[in-house]
Amino acid sequence: VQLQASGGGLVQAGGSLRLSCAASGRSIGGYAMGWFRQAPGSERVLVAAISANSGGTYYADSVKGRFTISRDNGKNMVYLQMNSLKPEDTAVYYCAADSGPGVYPDQYDYWGQGTQVTVSS
């Protein structure tokens, strides 16, 4: 599975961005999908995940109520709607695919390149 993330940019605090992840090479229908982020000097962390059939989602505490993950298996796409953005959301965001449940960050199988999100105060 090849993954291509897009939609990052510069936004003021309180603003919104929608990240997209386009998959190719294989259907993502059988994969849990996740969005990770990595800030400078920090480890990459899982911020949101969605099960293969969209029946389950996970959000890190830091983004609950502000971010929404969704997927369209027919279009082979995954999205991350980010609202009420804060400067601490500034990071490179990555999408990834997991043949397992998607809740264990170290078990993701496929990774896309990152897209930079910068939130100014």
Side-chain angles (χ1 to χ4, degrees), residues 2-71:
Q2 290 81 48
L3 302 172
Q4 179 86 24
S6 62
L10 173 64
V11 63
Q12 288 190 330
S16 298
L17 282 175
R18 188 194 195 203
L19 304 184
S20 298
C21 177
S24 60
R26 184 179 298 181
S27 170
I28 61 169
Y31 293 88
M33 300 297 296
W35 284 97
F36 291 74
R37 70 184 182 189
Q38 186 169 22
S42 299
E43 293 184 352
R44 188 162 52 187
V45 297
L46 178 64
V47 295
I50 187 167
S51 63
N53 64 1
S54 301
T57 55
Y58 161 84
Y59 295 96
D61 288 343
S62 58
V63 307
K64 278 181 183 176
R66 300 188 298 121
F67 290 12
T68 302
I69 188 170
S70 62
R71 64 190 296 160

Side-chain angles (χ1 to χ4, degrees), residues 33-119:
M33 300 297 296
W35 284 97
F36 291 74
R37 70 184 182 189
Q38 186 169 22
S42 299
E43 293 184 352
R44 188 162 52 187
V45 297
L46 178 64
V47 295
I50 187 167
S51 63
N53 64 1
S54 301
T57 55
Y58 161 84
Y59 295 96
D61 288 343
S62 58
V63 307
K64 278 181 183 176
R66 300 188 298 121
F67 290 12
T68 302
I69 188 170
S70 62
R71 64 190 296 160
D72 186 334
N73 288 344
K75 294 182 178 179
N76 242 19
M77 295 288 295
V78 183
Y79 308 97
L80 186 67
Q81 178 67 44
M82 305 186 295
N83 298 329
S84 303
L85 283 161
K86 305 175 181 180
E88 50 264 43
D89 294 318
T90 295
V92 178
Y93 284 72
Y94 301 86
C95 62
D98 180 17
S99 57
V103 296
Y104 303 110
D106 293 342
Q107 294 183 4
Y108 275 73
D109 302 294
Y110 302 99
W111 294 84
Q113 94 299 346
T115 184
Q116 176 71 48
V117 172
T118 303
V119 184

